[in-house]
Structures are given as C-alpha cells and as structure tokens.
Amino acid sequence: MVFNLPDYESQLVQIRAKIDEVDTVIAEGLVHRLQLADEIGQLKARTGILAMSESRQTEILHKISTQFLELQPSEINAVWQTLFNLSITRQLKIIKK
C-alpha cells in the first residue's frame, strides 16, 4: 500500500492542532482544579483536618470510571493519582504555613 505523503502530512498537522486545543482545555481544567484544591487546603488549615481523603479519591475514581467507559481503569488511575498527588502536595504546603 502506498500512502500519499502530502495528504498524510496535512492530516497529521490537522490532528495535532486538535490535540493542541484539547491540551489547552486540559491545562485550563488543571489550573482550576488546583485552585480548588488550594481552597480546600485553606479550609483544612483552619479546621486542622488532614490533607488526604482516601474515600473521596475512591469516589472520584468510581465516578470517572462509570461515566467514561472508553477509558481503561489503568488510564484513569494513572491520571487521577497524579492529580491527587498534586492536590495533596499543594494542600500540605498550605496547611504547614
């Protein structure tokens, strides 16, 4: 099978442009999520509550896995564990101030 390279390159550029748009949306969502995590950290700092809630993490993982069936559990865990770690790290910095 012979591929039309100019067509391939054109399609590749178009798809990558769409990925760039999605990356922007993801980054905006991440900034917003971390701002909310900071708010939770400030609230926990005032109340003396720990920065981590395993039951909340389990709840989130379950919700995502049932809403987005096209994602594999391992993919969900990989991404959200990173999000949880970022949130906890930020909250701990706030609580320790």
Side-chain angles (χ1 to χ4, degrees):
M1 175 179 262
V2 177
F3 291 99
N4 181 345
L5 287 180
D7 186 49
Y8 165 81
E9 291 294 331
S10 173
Q11 288 180 22
L12 189 62
V13 167
Q14 290 174 3
I15 294 168
R16 285 181 173 165
K18 290 177 184 177
I19 287 174
D20 290 346
E21 291 173 10
V22 171
D23 286 346
T24 297
V25 171
I26 291 170
E28 289 170 345
L30 178 59
V31 167
H32 188 218
R33 190 185 200 289
L34 292 176
Q35 288 169 339
L36 295 170
D38 289 350
E39 288 181 35
I40 289 173
Q42 292 165 1
L43 179 62
K44 288 180 177 181
R46 290 193 304 268
T47 59
I49 299 198
L50 297 176
M52 185 177 128
S53 171
E54 287 187 32
S55 62
R56 175 69 175 141
Q57 289 180 11
T58 301
E59 176 188 328
I60 291 168
L61 292 173
H62 176 74
K63 180 179 168 185
I64 297 299
S65 66
T66 57
Q67 286 182 335
F68 298 94
L69 300 176
E70 61 273 12
L71 295 174
Q72 297 296 315
S74 60
E75 296 166 334
I76 294 168
N77 285 330
V79 172
W80 266 265
Q81 287 302 325
T82 299
L83 293 174
F84 297 152
N85 290 337
L86 288 170
S87 295
I88 291 167
T89 300
R90 289 172 71 110
Q91 288 178 23
L92 286 173
K93 285 180 185 177
I94 292 168
I95 291 169
K96 290 180 180 181
K97 284 185 179 177

